[in-house]
Amino acid sequence: MNDIALFVLLGLGAGAVIAGIAMAVVVTYIGSGIINLATGALAMVAAYAYWALKSDYFGFTLATTPAITVTIVVSALVGVLCELLVFRPLRTSSPLAKLVASLGILLILQATVLLWFGSASKQIPSVFPTNIVKLFGASIPANRFWMAAIVVLIALAFTALYRWTRFGLATRAAAENEVYGMLAGLSPNQLSMANTVMASALAGAMGIVAAPLAQADSSTLVLFVVPALAAALFAGFTSIGIACLAGFGVGIGQSLMSYVSTLSWFPTDRGNPLPGVQALLTFALLVLALSLRGASLPTRGELVEKRLPAAPRPKRLARPAVVLGVVGAVLLVVLPFGYRQALMLSLVGVVVCLSLVVITGFVGQVSLIQVTLAGVSGFAVSHMFVDAGIGFPWAPLAGSIAGVVVGLIVGASALRVRGASLAVVTLAGVVAIEQFGFANSKWGAGIGGSPVQQPSLFGARVGADAWFRGLDGKVPSPVLGFLFLVVAIALCLLVASLRRSVLGQQMLAVRANERAAAATGINVARVKITAYGISSFIAGTAGWMYAYNFGSVSPARFGFLIALGFVAFAYIGGITMVSGAVVGGLIATEGLVPHFFQTILGISGNWVLLFGGLLLIVTLIQNPDGVAGTTYRKQQLKKKAALAASKDRPESSLMPTQASAAAAEP
């Protein structure tokens, strides 16, 4: 019991940071109706800013109090920029567009920090006393109690602000119904700005408070938003007090899991405790919170709510498929090996984006787990080769099926939710699978990579080492590219045919209004499960393509940041169209377009993520339909204009034969 009490007290530190970020998420949602997934990234920016001000990075050093003040001001200014440049222009957009915009902010902040400060972690200077408190016969750092006390005081202050002040009453009134709030003289924009600034300042404070627990790097504090979202869900995104208590509960639960992992009966991996159990606990708590809450997150009475972009019905399939196949095959032969490799990775990216078109574009479910499902498939292919000697084509088929199984498990856990709720669940699923599955040497690759045998068919090699090496005679072989091209075109035709089918129409009906779809006799649960299965199979196919392309599978290629990046690329291309998936694959990380810019301009890596985040936000604001959708819409407008012009043209202007035909019509 003393050990349990000790770990409960040690968990106060992590619980305080989780509770603080959860309260920032709730404050943002109360003020603007936005689930800001970049809240943890704001804490990361504050941590770097505080370190820089205390370590002479800018050529000067500030004392503790001025450094804290400047850091919180910087965090608030970042919040102001996010509100003015991103959230306010998207005020009347769909909730999914707002949530995806927060992903764009996260990508921008991460890429900016990496470009500015580098990838090396920094030790955040601690603002708390370093003395030790003796309790239960053990030594406990006093900073845990200071962290908890500060967060509790902040929670009490925010609770009093929203309950007993005119500002709090106005915020709650606007959150319930913006129309009535405006009639009462309230300004939703001003209230949203004020709450966003407070939430950003609070997130910045958590970046400083987290000093005893975390270093300033590009992922640790960012991932604190996942357990914070679980705490915010328990609070219904409305209660500061419950968010605070739930945050402490999650932190203490994670600490107790650390204690349990030290016991003799706990499963081990190569002599070490099984990794990722804290992330798995967070995922389970998120599912529990959604089960307790019911179908979805609370909604707001907004002036206008736009839906996702239109999903036009494909009219021609054969001609685009033939053109894409011929052009792709020629490029695979004539391009030098570097561009050939980039084109093959673009084909893999097209497949990942196709899975997002099905689950998000057709059904309206923002799933962030597609890249992770690809990783599940890749590791399944690797272990079938290493452990059982099974290769092509049975291993790829099994890999795709493995992606379906995991996808259905995650999808079934969120079957009663939609939209932003699914995004929250799948975000936790990404972290849980990455830390619990991929980091495990039995199921994943541990800290290294896992090999994959190059494919062969009827004794002939069809992998990267095949006999035909293109015009330059170098690997990877175009033969593997031909295989990827066939798979990508087949899946494009599958998704296009799905849109034209009865099932595709049912998916769009579910996306538009689940209750109305159910009223017309559509089995909403069946449609969702089918969509999860199809999109997971497509994502799993991308996984074994990745595996054969690189000859091994590494957790780094299916990480948290990569998953968010692909959501951005799919939205930029056009999340509701097959042609949008093709555009998304071409601009995806390590794809053909980024490789061109890297070769010609030296732009690569974090710059691509930065531009991807910026392009995502610009696309959501200026061209919500994406590149492909905007092109399609312009083509339709031109056709309508030409048709209208032909109808308005007088008979005298027609050719003689046309005039005779017109006169002969009844």
Side-chain angles (χ1 to χ4, degrees):
M1 292 301 296
N2 287 345
D3 291 338
I4 294 176
L6 171 64
F7 276 87
V8 167
L9 294 175
L10 290 174
L12 290 176
V17 178
I18 294 171
I21 295 178
M23 289 190 293
V25 171
V26 170
V27 169
T28 303
Y29 191 84
I30 291 174
S32 60
I34 295 170
I35 301 176
N36 190 358
L37 300 182
T39 306
L42 289 170
M44 171 198 65
V45 171
Y48 272 102
Y50 185 67
W51 169 83
L53 293 171
K54 295 289 291 182
S55 63
D56 198 37
Y57 181 82
F58 296 120
F60 61 88
T61 303
L62 295 181
T64 299
T65 301
I68 292 174
T69 304
V70 173
T71 299
I72 294 179
V73 169
V74 168
S75 301
L77 289 176
V78 173
V80 170
L81 293 175
C82 293
E83 174 67 22
L84 291 177
L85 301 179
V86 182
F87 295 138
R88 184 166 296 181
L90 293 172
R91 186 159 188 78
T92 57
S93 298
S94 68
L96 302 186
K98 298 175 185 177
L99 182 131
V100 173
S102 72
L103 293 180
I105 295 173
L106 191 155
L107 291 174
I108 291 171
L109 294 179
Q110 275 197 311
T112 301
V113 163
L114 287 170
L115 290 169
W116 197 335
F117 295 99
S119 58
S121 59
K122 319 294 184 184
Q123 184 60 52
I124 310 171
S126 180
V127 297
F128 302 110
T130 57
N131 59 305
I132 300 297
V133 177
K134 294 288 186 178
L135 284 175
F136 304 106
S139 299
I140 302 174
N143 53 38
R144 302 301 195 273
F145 300 102
W146 281 100
M147 296 167 69
I150 288 174
V151 170
V152 169
L153 289 175
I154 293 174
L156 292 174
F158 271 102
T159 301
L161 175 68
Y162 285 114
R163 180 169 296 182
W164 292 310
T165 66
R166 291 176 61 86
F167 170 79
L169 178 62
T171 299
R172 288 186 283 119
E176 290 184 7
N177 196 301
E178 286 187 358
V179 177
Y180 291 165
M182 292 181 68
L183 291 175
L186 302 178
S187 173
N189 285 337
Q190 292 179 2
L191 291 171
S192 177
M193 174 64 76
N195 283 279
T196 299
V197 169
M198 290 191 301
S200 302
L202 176 56
M206 291 304 102
I208 301 172
V209 167
L213 302 175
Q215 294 180 325
D217 57 40
S218 61
S219 60
T220 303
L221 283 172
V222 173
L223 292 179
F224 265 97
V225 75
V226 179
L229 287 170
L233 272 172
F234 276 107
F237 281 82
T238 56
S239 173
I240 297 293
I242 296 177
C244 180
L245 292 175
F248 277 109
V250 173
I252 292 172
Q254 291 182 345
S255 180
L256 289 175
M257 289 301 297
S258 299
Y259 163 69
V260 171
S261 65
T262 63
L263 301 179
S264 58
W265 53 265
F266 192 81
T268 59
D269 177 37
R270 294 183 177 179
N272 298 315
L274 203 63
V277 290
Q278 289 87 353
L280 194 63
L281 172 66
T282 300
F283 175 72
L285 289 174
L286 267 168
V287 175
L288 174 62
L290 286 171
S291 300
L292 294 176
R293 277 208 46 78
S296 63
L297 304 179
T299 57
R300 294 164 54 89
E302 296 179 335
L303 295 175
V304 180
E305 182 177 303
K306 295 183 180 178
R307 302 188 183 278
L308 280 170
R313 179 187 177 92
K315 296 181 179 180
R316 299 181 181 88
L317 300 183
R319 186 171 66 181
V322 171
V323 171
L324 182 62
V326 172
V327 172
V330 171
L331 291 177
L332 286 169
V333 173
V334 303
L335 287 177
F337 71 97
Y339 282 95
R340 183 162 60 243
Q341 174 74 66
L343 178 57
M344 292 166 62
L345 288 174
S346 282
L347 292 172
V348 180
V350 169
V351 176
V352 175
C353 292
L354 283 172
S355 70
L356 287 165
V357 169
V358 173
I359 193 65
T360 302
F362 291 173
V363 194
Q365 305 285 77
V366 180
S367 174
L368 308 180
I369 203 170
Q370 305 307 112
V371 171
T372 306
L373 296 178
V376 170
S377 172
F379 281 111
V381 171
S382 174
H383 283 283
M384 290 193 71
F385 162 64
V386 173
D387 300 335
I390 300 175
F392 189 86
W394 305 114
L397 178 61
S400 297
I401 294 175
V404 172
V405 172
V406 176
L408 289 178
I409 292 174
V410 176
S413 66
L415 191 59
R416 296 177 59 199
V417 303
R418 59 184 181 272
S421 305
L422 181 65
V424 172
V425 174
T426 53
L427 178 62
V430 168
V431 179
I433 295 174
E434 181 182 356
Q435 296 184 5
F436 181 75
F438 296 166
N440 188 308
S441 60
K442 183 177 181 180
W443 306 314
I447 60 175
S450 186
V452 175
Q453 184 185 38
Q454 287 296 319
S456 60
L457 188 63
F458 303 116
R461 293 179 297 175
V462 294
D465 58 348
W467 62 273
F468 180 53
R469 303 294 174 86
L471 296 183
D472 62 353
K474 297 182 179 179
V475 294
S477 169
V479 176
L480 183 62
F482 297 153
L483 174 63
F484 287 2
L485 184 62
V486 170
V487 171
I489 293 176
L491 291 177
C492 285
L493 293 173
L494 171 66
V495 175
S497 300
L498 176 65
R499 169 59 186 88
R500 299 168 64 173
S501 67
V502 174
L503 176 59
Q505 296 174 8
Q506 292 176 343
M507 288 179 178
L508 292 177
V510 171
R511 188 190 83 165
N513 191 308
E514 290 188 13
R515 292 182 179 179
T520 61
I522 296 175
N523 189 328
V524 175
R526 180 184 63 81
V527 171
K528 282 188 175 182
I529 285 293
T530 305
Y532 292 147
I534 295 173
S535 65
S536 299
F537 181 85
I538 296 173
T541 301
W544 61 257
M545 292 170 70
Y546 262 121
Y548 286 133
N549 182 79
F550 291 106
S552 65
V553 188
S554 172
R557 296 201 171 272
F558 307 100
F560 171 77
L561 190 59
I562 303 297
L564 299 185
F566 266 100
V567 175
F569 301 135
Y571 260 88
I572 293 169
I575 194 66
T576 61
M577 301 178 63
V578 172
S579 54
V582 175
V583 175
L586 290 175
I587 64 176
T589 305
E590 296 184 304
L592 195 59
V593 173
H595 182 76
F596 171 80
F597 282 105
Q598 178 182 358
T599 304
I600 303 300
L601 303 177
I603 298 175
S604 62
N606 296 319
W607 284 104
V608 174
L609 288 177
L610 177 62
F611 293 145
L614 291 171
L615 279 175
L616 173 61
I617 293 173
V618 171
T619 300
L620 289 169
I621 296 173
Q622 299 294 334
N623 300 301
D625 295 336
V627 174
T630 301
T631 303
Y632 175 83
R633 182 159 45 85
K634 289 181 178 179
Q635 291 175 349
Q636 295 303 308
L637 290 175
K638 288 182 179 179
K639 290 181 180 179
K640 290 181 179 179
L643 181 61
S646 65
K647 289 182 178 179
D648 294 338
R649 189 181 306 166
E651 291 186 6
S652 59
S653 66
L654 299 176
M655 298 295 291
T657 55
Q658 292 176 316
S660 302
E665 291 182 358

